[in-house]
Amino acid sequence: MSKMGLGGHPHMLGFDQLEQLLERSAKSGNDGYPPYNIEQTSDCSWRITLAVAGFSEDDLAITVEDRQLVIRGRQGDTGEDRVFLHRGIAARQFQRSFVLADGVEVGEAVLENGLLHIDLARERPENVVQTISIRKGGA
């Protein structure tokens, strides 16, 4: 017997892409840097907070690509010749991705005290009842 995915289940019509989204999320390559929090701010809104100490607004890029929120960080070279006796502060580039559900929109992004806050919200869908008329078949 072959394994049936969500898209192949007879009662789950149109959910073919759900499995693809789950696979893409699992392969997103996030290595734990930078650390982040996700908090629910209301029934239909969330806030993602990333610890990005040392990054400026110009070092960060936030995009939405194919229902995926992508945050990239790359610090520019200061051009100064600096000699570190100890270097414990990470200054590496990163990419952190989050898969967004249908209807979730990215709102404001704020950089404050080394924390990048990104607000997300989903509009509450209206309950729609649609009546389908039945026509009589025949000649």
Side-chain angles (χ1 to χ4, degrees):
M1 178 184 259
S2 65
K3 178 182 172 186
M4 183 186 320
L6 287 176
H9 193 280
H11 298 289
M12 303 291 282
L13 302 174
F15 284 87
D16 308 13
Q17 295 178 349
L18 184 57
E19 281 184 293
Q20 293 171 357
L21 284 172
L22 290 172
E23 287 176 14
R24 187 172 66 188
S25 177
K27 295 177 184 176
S28 64
N30 295 331
D31 65 354
Y33 178 78
Y36 66 94
N37 291 336
I38 300 176
E39 61 183 297
Q40 187 163 3
T41 54
S42 77
D43 287 345
C44 294
S45 63
W46 304 268
R47 173 173 273 187
I48 298 173
T49 301
L50 287 87
V52 292
F55 287 85
S56 70
E57 292 93 344
D58 294 335
D59 297 331
L60 299 167
I62 303 169
T63 58
V64 177
E65 304 167 13
D66 191 25
R67 292 184 10 213
Q68 192 167 14
L69 173 65
V70 180
I71 302 109
R72 293 180 179 92
R74 181 181 195 124
Q75 291 180 320
D77 189 18
T78 60
E80 300 174 23
D81 291 328
R82 297 165 42 177
V83 177
F84 290 95
L85 300 179
H86 172 76
R87 189 166 187 171
I89 299 173
R92 59 183 172 148
Q93 64 184 13
F94 70 86
Q95 177 174 311
R96 171 81 56 194
S97 303
F98 302 90
V99 176
L100 302 175
D102 284 336
V104 173
E105 298 293 327
V106 179
E108 186 177 44
V110 177
L111 182 61
E112 176 182 44
N113 299 324
L115 298 174
L116 177 63
H117 304 287
I118 303 169
D119 292 324
L120 308 171
R122 178 186 356 232
E123 301 245 348
R124 290 186 186 252
E126 296 180 22
N127 288 336
V128 177
V129 176
Q130 182 180 3
T131 302
I132 309 300
S133 61
I134 304 170
R135 70 175 178 87
K136 188 174 185 173

